[in-house]
Amino acid sequence: MNKNIIAVLLILLGINLIKSQDVEQILIGTKHSLWSNILNENREYWVSLPDSYKDQKSSYKTYPILIVLDGDSHFKSIAGMVNYMSSDAYRSWKIPELIVVAIQNVDRRRDYTPDKIITVRENNSGGGDRFLGFLENELLPELDQTYRTAPYRILFGHSLGGLLATHAYMKEKTGFNSYIAVDPSFGTWDSETMDKKLDSLTDQSFKRFLYLATANWGKRNIRNRDRHVRLYESLNSKCKGELPAELEYFPNESHSSVPIIAFHNGISTIFEGYGISYRDVEDKEQLTQHFQTLSKRLSWHVPPPEHLVNQLGYRTIQSENDKDKSKALEFFIMNVENYPKSPNSYDSLGEAYETVGNTDKAIDNYKKSLELDPNNERAKIKIKELSKS
């Protein structure tokens, strides 16, 4: 056979082999749509679920919701960052796991401007409150019905999206608890407009958390920064206590480059202290106080993360001191109290009781773990072994 023909056949065979191989896609989310009676149109949104969401052992968990405006631009980067900062796979644990929901744009000028902008030509600006109505009264209830959500919502917006996020923060009633407003476009808010909004503020806004980011606009930078600083200082002066907010300037980032780094800093600021290391915890009382402070700042109950308390328990129980071992029990009991539907919390408590020689309670907790997770083979073995002894 001609060598050239053989070469061609080998190439074709190689191509067919490649085609025959199974190709597994890497998925970071799913597409959905919802008809909005408020907007009178169909709205598409993308959802990224936490790694643990579909794990049967984590079926008891609920998750806060992060709404991302301009979702077609920011979904991939923000969903990936949230995953890295929260997933057990990377052991970063700076923030809790979140359900990321990115809203796809239809008419961002209409949807993200809370006030009518007067221009020479007719425009359709000023639909911000209607769009917030869609988010709060249609989308969030849909998400609550579909997913295991926790009652904490974060709104992220950049540019005009940041303007809408700031407007929502300043409203009397809102469906969100925290806001990340990245380089918000305050150009349509002259001094008179901003003063009116500030004068209408109530104490409700100060029960929410606001992170405000400012980019470097070069020659126009002073004017842009002044608007953001003016808003932040006015909020600070009106707040009776410590203002739950932060303003951060990024001198090395432009308006278009700032969203991702600002999101990282913003979400880290909102949950500052959540990722405390087990090495920095002295005892149960300090841990409890730490998360009570965080809960007060967020106006939302945040229990110590299950993985953190587990680490503390196992670190303490390895001590040769009997008093330390009894303290370990306190940590494991705390997890059972905070996460009563977690099979792992009972399994760990069972192991702790086994270590200190309380066989009856060890068996009881292994049985509770097995009830919650019938596939827990380790618990089955332990119950059998301890029952014999």
Side-chain angles (χ1 to χ4, degrees):
M1 186 179 293
N2 188 293
K3 290 184 178 179
N4 290 332
I5 296 176
I6 294 174
V8 171
L9 288 174
L10 289 172
I11 291 172
L12 292 175
L13 180 61
I15 292 174
N16 287 330
L17 285 173
I18 292 172
K19 286 183 177 179
S20 67
Q21 292 175 355
D22 291 333
V23 177
E24 185 177 354
Q25 293 184 333
I26 300 173
L27 302 177
I28 66 168
T30 52
K31 291 184 178 182
H32 308 264
S33 63
L34 175 66
W35 174 260
S36 170
N37 291 319
I38 294 175
L39 300 175
N40 195 33
E41 64 189 12
N42 201 54
R43 296 306 297 247
E44 183 177 325
Y45 61 94
W46 300 351
V47 177
S48 177
L49 296 175
D51 283 350
S52 68
Y53 191 91
K54 295 182 179 180
D55 184 353
Q56 186 61 34
K57 295 178 182 178
S58 300
S59 60
Y60 64 93
K61 288 185 177 181
T62 59
Y63 307 86
I65 295 177
L66 168 65
I67 298 292
V68 178
L69 303 181
D70 288 317
D72 39 350
S73 299
H74 303 303
F75 177 66
K76 292 180 181 179
S77 55
I78 287 181
M81 189 175 297
V82 166
N83 177 262
Y84 185 84
M85 296 174 72
S86 62
S87 173
D88 287 350
Y90 310 107
R91 304 179 72 85
S92 173
W93 295 320
K94 286 194 69 174
I95 63 174
E97 289 184 296
L98 308 173
I99 296 176
V100 179
V101 181
I103 315 302
Q104 307 308 297
N105 285 331
V106 172
D107 187 337
R108 69 191 303 272
R109 184 180 181 85
R110 176 199 69 186
D111 292 339
Y112 296 169
T113 50
D115 308 289
K116 185 68 178 177
I117 303 172
I118 306 301
T119 58
V120 175
R121 295 182 180 180
E122 186 178 350
N123 65 74
N124 64 345
S125 62
D129 281 324
R130 288 184 66 215
F131 183 74
L132 286 173
F134 157 69
L135 294 181
E136 297 169 352
N137 301 318
E138 294 180 326
L139 180 59
L140 287 176
E142 174 76 9
L143 296 172
D144 288 337
Q145 187 174 0
T146 307
Y147 302 103
R148 301 194 309 272
T149 61
Y152 196 81
R153 289 86 167 81
I154 306 163
L155 180 62
F156 167 87
H158 166 240
S159 192
L160 283 179
L163 172 68
L164 184 68
T166 307
H167 171 73
Y169 165 80
M170 299 176 74
K171 292 184 68 174
E172 169 73 16
K173 295 182 179 180
T174 177
F176 297 93
N177 308 88
S178 290
Y179 303 81
I180 301 176
V182 178
D183 216 26
S185 300
F186 286 167
T188 59
W189 285 8
D190 55 24
S191 298
E192 182 180 357
T193 301
M194 187 176 288
D195 286 341
K196 284 182 179 179
K197 292 181 180 294
L198 288 166
D199 288 341
S200 64
L201 268 180
T202 69
D203 290 339
Q204 291 301 314
S205 290
F206 303 127
K207 295 179 181 179
R208 309 158 192 157
F209 194 94
L210 173 67
Y211 175 85
L212 193 64
T214 302
N216 189 337
W217 281 63
K219 292 182 179 180
R220 294 184 292 165
N221 195 38
I222 294 178
R223 190 173 183 182
N224 184 60
R225 287 189 66 187
D226 280 351
R227 292 190 180 106
H228 297 163
V229 171
R230 184 173 185 271
L231 174 72
Y232 180 81
E233 290 184 345
S234 298
L235 293 174
N236 195 36
S237 65
K238 289 179 176 293
C239 183
K240 296 176 182 178
E242 183 177 355
L243 177 66
E246 182 168 323
L247 171 65
E248 186 171 4
Y249 174 54
F250 294 86
N252 299 318
E253 304 297 334
S254 67
H255 182 69
S256 59
S257 70
V258 75
I260 302 308
I261 187 172
F263 171 77
H264 174 274
N265 289 12
I267 201 73
S268 299
T269 301
I270 290 172
F271 292 108
E272 183 179 1
Y274 181 86
I276 183 174
S277 170
Y278 72 93
R279 296 183 180 88
D280 297 325
V281 178
E282 297 177 1
D283 51 39
K284 178 186 173 184
E285 289 68 31
Q286 181 205 356
L287 180 68
T288 301
Q289 182 59 49
H290 178 86
F291 279 91
Q292 284 178 349
T293 301
L294 175 60
S295 298
K296 183 178 180 180
R297 183 164 61 82
L298 296 182
S299 299
W300 177 53
H301 176 59
V302 185
E306 185 178 354
H307 67 82
L308 171 63
V309 179
N310 232 32
Q311 284 180 315
L312 290 165
Y314 280 113
R315 182 190 67 172
T316 310
I317 208 168
Q318 292 170 359
S319 171
E320 296 180 0
N321 189 315
D322 289 338
K323 287 186 177 180
D324 288 340
K325 289 183 179 181
S326 64
K327 290 181 181 179
L329 282 172
E330 294 179 359
F331 286 118
F332 290 121
I333 291 171
M334 173 189 281
N335 255 355
V336 166
E337 291 173 348
N338 288 331
Y339 305 97
K341 295 183 179 180
S342 166
N344 186 66
S345 66
Y346 288 103
D347 186 272
S348 297
L349 182 56
E351 185 176 349
Y353 275 124
E354 182 184 355
T355 302
V356 299
N358 193 329
T359 303
D360 290 339
K361 287 193 174 182
I363 292 174
D364 288 343
N365 281 281
Y366 282 131
K367 285 182 177 179
K368 289 177 181 177
S369 177
L370 194 58
E371 288 174 7
L372 294 169
D373 179 17
N375 296 319
N376 188 344
E377 295 299 326
R378 180 179 178 278
K380 294 178 183 178
I381 294 171
K382 285 293 183 181
I383 292 170
K384 188 174 181 180
E385 289 177 351
L386 292 174
S387 296
K388 287 181 179 180
S389 64

